[in-house]
Amino acid sequence: MDIQTLTFIIVGLTFALYIGIAIWSRAGSTNDFYVASGGVNPIANGMATAADWMSAASFISMAGIVAFAGYDGSVYLMGWTGGYVLLAMCLAPYLRKFGKFTVPDFIGDRYYSQTARTIAVICAILICFTYIAGQMRGVGVVFSRFLEVDIATGVIIGAIIVFFYTVLGGMKGITYTQVAQYIVLMFAYVVPAVFISLLMTDHILPQTGFGATIAQDVPGGGNYLLDRLDGLSQELGFAAYTEGVRSKVDVFFITAALMVGTAGLPHVIVRFFTVPKVRDARRSAFWALTFISIVYLTAPAIAAFAKVNMFNTINGPELTGVEYENAPSWIKNWEKTGLITWEDKNDDGKMFYSGDERNEMTIDRDIMVLANPEIADLPAWVVALVAAGGVAAALSTSAGLLLVISTSVSHDLLKRNLAPNITDKQELLYARLAAAVAIFISVYFGIYPPGFVAQVVAFAFGLAAASFFPAIIMGVFHKRMNRAGAVAGMVVGILFTFCYIVYFKFVAPELNTPDNWLFGISPEGIGTLGMIINFVVAVIVHKFTGDAPEHIQELVESIRYPKGSGEAQSH
């Protein structure tokens, strides 16, 4: 059976599974829609959290960026993994004990201000739309290759599926759908890595194959994989794979932005309210980190295997180029999507990929994980499995983000602010309408994204770092911080970060070079500086406007002690 048919079967079966789960677990109340009635088992919640967390950026783009950037790409691994630990250990239990299941709700009540709540809603929507653009782009990339449609059509198909089970099932439907999606994406990520590790290094574990010698029957056999990759990279005009070209300052700022941005992501934080107790929130965090590590510890190996195989199949074992007529099928398959192009500059009929003037290929880094099984000539069913995994990763996070957007509008903006007298049914209706509007906007950004998947997502983390993280941290650990300080910090932090990103990415992209960056910090890392500015502004304004009221200080003091917790509150 060919790849196309298998892909239709496997992806179709997973879609049927997701929709079936959504129908089975459809939401009947706002409590179901927002937090699955707080009754999810910690292991299932950990698996759902992992799926929510491992978006298209993790599944599709992370190994791709590591493959192309080498050592510099490790900032994504370090930042995202470290950030989840920070969230799980320092924030999630306290927020769960506070009992408010959205970040704007926490900020509005902690800082006793509807203005603070409204600003938090705006920040949440901005962050989620930035993030969801990357997910929709990921869906489009998968469908454009494996369903042989253009990226725009792929984005629309994915949007219809995710909209159906988000609007029907809410958090209850999303949670159990994400459990299934995690299983699909985990197998889709690990199985090809095991196959390729065995073929290239005779090691069954990709993590050990990554540091092993190449098998004798493979080009470069007998050499260590990373030594071979360094040599190939330098010979073809790229920087050595294991050496970085980014400045240490920029590496630090990007890693920190990804870490603290993780701790401020609203669609991850809400996950800790779907379990019954604070203790279960901690257990969920443990299980989520366990499930996440299975994929994240495999990513560096996948990146290295893919890069070596790509060099070998495009340039040939002797690095003299391969005749285009004899090009492997994966190149011509991906050419149809426009994500790989070849221009025969020297009219020799051969393809050549390099980092200098000899280069004749343009390769989108978002294809690396999806193309990896084809590059390694693995069985067709493995290729189809990877397609299903890519779709699962993108859809799982898109659903979580859509839910946050709809909740921010219906609950935080309407019920808690502009229209407090609406009924439970009306609130549920507005949540679903908000999700419908959000899906249309996300489709547009998925078709016209402001960068590749991981980069777009990095911007979302930067915005979260500059806005939510300081407000949450001070809300939990600085009991005297008042509303004026928190509001001023959030506004200045997110405005500075947003304007910096927009300037270098849209207004003057030709100036997006280290020489023009502020303190040598790239747009991907500027969220860390925005966070620092947020803290400084908040502290200064607090000094001039006095402490928070006594009852707020007592409230903050009470959530620091892990002694029980009520149910997550929707009102």
Side-chain angles (χ1 to χ4, degrees):
M1 195 177 294
D2 61 21
I3 292 175
Q4 187 70 28
T5 304
L6 277 171
T7 301
F8 275 119
I9 292 172
I10 293 179
V11 172
L13 286 174
T14 60
F15 277 3
L17 176 63
Y18 305 153
I19 292 171
I21 292 173
I23 294 171
W24 166 74
S25 57
R26 61 188 178 274
S29 67
T30 53
N31 206 28
D32 277 348
F33 194 87
Y34 293 149
V35 290
S37 296
V40 181
N41 179 277
I43 297 177
N45 196 56
M47 200 175 290
T49 305
D52 210 350
W53 174 240
M54 288 184 298
S55 61
S58 293
F59 188 94
I60 296 174
S61 198
M62 183 174 63
I65 196 172
V66 174
F68 277 79
Y71 178 83
D72 284 339
S74 64
V75 297
Y76 290 87
L77 284 167
M78 294 186 295
W80 285 337
T81 307
Y84 191 83
V85 175
L86 177 67
L87 170 64
M89 300 301 293
C90 297
L91 293 181
Y94 301 106
L95 293 176
R96 175 64 183 84
K97 191 167 191 293
F98 193 86
K100 300 298 181 181
F101 62 77
T102 70
V103 173
D105 218 4
F106 168 79
I107 289 175
D109 282 11
R110 163 59 181 87
Y111 294 110
Y112 51 99
S113 168
Q114 293 291 21
T115 301
R117 187 190 310 277
T118 303
I119 291 170
V121 168
I122 295 169
C123 292
I125 291 173
L126 182 61
I127 290 163
C128 288
F129 272 128
T130 306
Y131 204 143
I132 206 170
Q135 311 314 310
M136 287 295 143
R137 167 72 176 178
V139 172
V141 169
V142 175
F143 284 172
S144 66
R145 162 64 187 92
F146 296 107
L147 300 185
E148 294 189 352
V149 297
D150 57 47
I151 288 180
T153 304
V155 168
I156 293 169
I157 293 171
I160 291 170
I161 298 295
V162 73
F163 174 71
F164 179 83
Y165 70 74
T166 302
V167 168
L168 183 65
M171 179 58 80
K172 188 176 179 182
I174 287 171
T175 296
Y176 294 108
T177 302
Q178 286 174 335
V179 170
Q181 287 167 334
Y182 172 78
I183 294 170
V184 172
L185 71 87
M186 184 270 291
F187 276 102
Y189 208 79
V190 173
V191 168
V194 170
F195 267 96
I196 297 171
S197 183
L198 281 169
L199 289 171
M200 291 190 69
T201 67
D202 295 326
H203 281 242
I204 192 170
L205 291 178
Q207 294 83 356
T208 58
F210 179 54
T213 56
I214 299 173
Q216 292 296 335
D217 58 343
V218 177
N223 296 311
Y224 281 103
L225 177 70
L226 290 177
D227 287 343
R228 168 71 173 170
L229 190 47
D230 273 345
L232 287 171
S233 298
Q234 290 174 307
E235 194 167 344
L236 292 170
F238 297 98
Y241 190 79
T242 56
E243 296 177 9
V245 296
R246 285 186 181 272
S247 68
K248 290 183 179 179
V249 170
D250 197 31
V251 168
F252 172 81
F253 273 77
I254 293 175
T255 303
L258 295 172
M259 283 186 65
V260 297
T262 297
L265 284 178
H267 74 291
V268 177
I269 289 173
V270 74
R271 277 267 156 231
F272 295 98
F273 293 92
T274 59
V275 291
K277 295 176 287 189
V278 173
R279 182 176 62 179
D280 294 329
R282 295 178 186 274
R283 289 175 176 172
S284 289
F286 166 78
W287 283 110
L289 197 56
T290 301
F291 293 130
I292 289 168
S293 67
I294 294 172
V295 171
Y296 269 45
L297 292 175
T298 310
I302 287 180
F305 296 151
K307 193 68 176 286
V308 171
N309 278 332
M310 186 177 69
F311 283 151
N312 287 338
T313 55
I314 293 177
N315 297 323
E318 305 300 323
L319 303 184
T320 57
V322 171
E323 294 281 349
Y324 180 72
E325 290 183 359
N326 300 323
S329 60
W330 72 270
I331 290 179
K332 295 184 178 179
N333 288 335
W334 283 97
E335 268 189 319
K336 297 174 186 176
T337 69
L339 298 173
I340 287 183
T341 59
W342 170 63
E343 180 186 356
D344 193 5
K345 293 179 179 178
N346 55 9
D347 295 322
D348 65 350
K350 292 183 177 181
M351 302 177 297
F352 199 82
Y353 179 61
S354 69
D356 51 30
E357 68 281 353
R358 296 173 293 169
N359 183 49
E360 298 177 335
M361 307 288 295
T362 301
I363 301 173
D364 191 306
R365 66 189 70 193
D366 284 339
I367 74 167
M368 290 306 296
V369 169
L370 299 174
N372 203 20
E374 291 181 277
I375 298 173
D377 200 25
L378 297 185
W381 67 267
V382 179
V383 179
L385 178 64
V386 170
V391 173
L395 294 184
S396 63
T397 304
S398 297
L401 293 166
L402 278 177
L403 189 68
V404 168
I405 293 169
S406 66
T407 303
S408 296
V409 172
S410 64
H411 177 73
D412 298 317
L413 193 60
L414 295 177
K415 181 67 175 180
R416 299 282 288 162
N417 195 344
L418 302 178
N421 295 321
I422 59 175
T423 65
D424 190 72
K425 287 185 177 180
Q426 287 174 320
E427 187 180 348
L428 189 58
L429 174 62
Y430 289 133
R432 286 170 167 156
L433 289 175
V437 174
I439 200 73
F440 280 109
I441 298 173
S442 64
V443 164
Y444 174 82
F445 285 116
I447 296 171
Y448 304 105
F452 59 88
V453 175
Q455 187 182 47
V456 174
V457 170
F459 297 152
F461 280 76
L463 294 171
S467 57
F468 283 148
F469 182 75
I472 296 171
I473 283 289
M474 291 186 292
V476 174
F477 297 104
H478 187 357
K479 66 181 183 180
R480 291 180 297 171
M481 177 53 64
N482 63 11
R483 63 185 173 192
V487 168
M490 281 194 297
V491 170
V492 174
I494 199 163
L495 279 178
F496 167 79
T497 305
F498 181 76
C499 291
Y500 190 92
I501 291 171
V502 168
Y503 178 77
F504 281 112
K505 288 297 176 180
F506 301 103
V507 177
E510 71 279 1
L511 298 179
N512 190 22
T513 61
D515 293 337
N516 297 311
W517 295 338
L518 185 63
F519 307 124
I521 304 169
S522 66
E524 289 84 356
I526 200 63
T528 302
L529 185 56
M531 174 197 69
I532 294 170
I533 292 172
N534 185 330
F535 274 120
V536 171
V537 168
V539 170
I540 291 174
V541 172
H542 166 241
K543 291 294 183 185
F544 287 97
T545 53
D547 292 342
E550 194 65 34
H551 72 279
I552 294 295
Q553 294 189 41
E554 291 174 1
L555 174 66
V556 173
E557 193 72 28
S558 71
I559 69 172
R560 296 185 190 172
Y561 299 97
K563 292 182 180 179
S565 168
E567 294 182 359
Q569 301 167 23
S570 60
H571 301 285

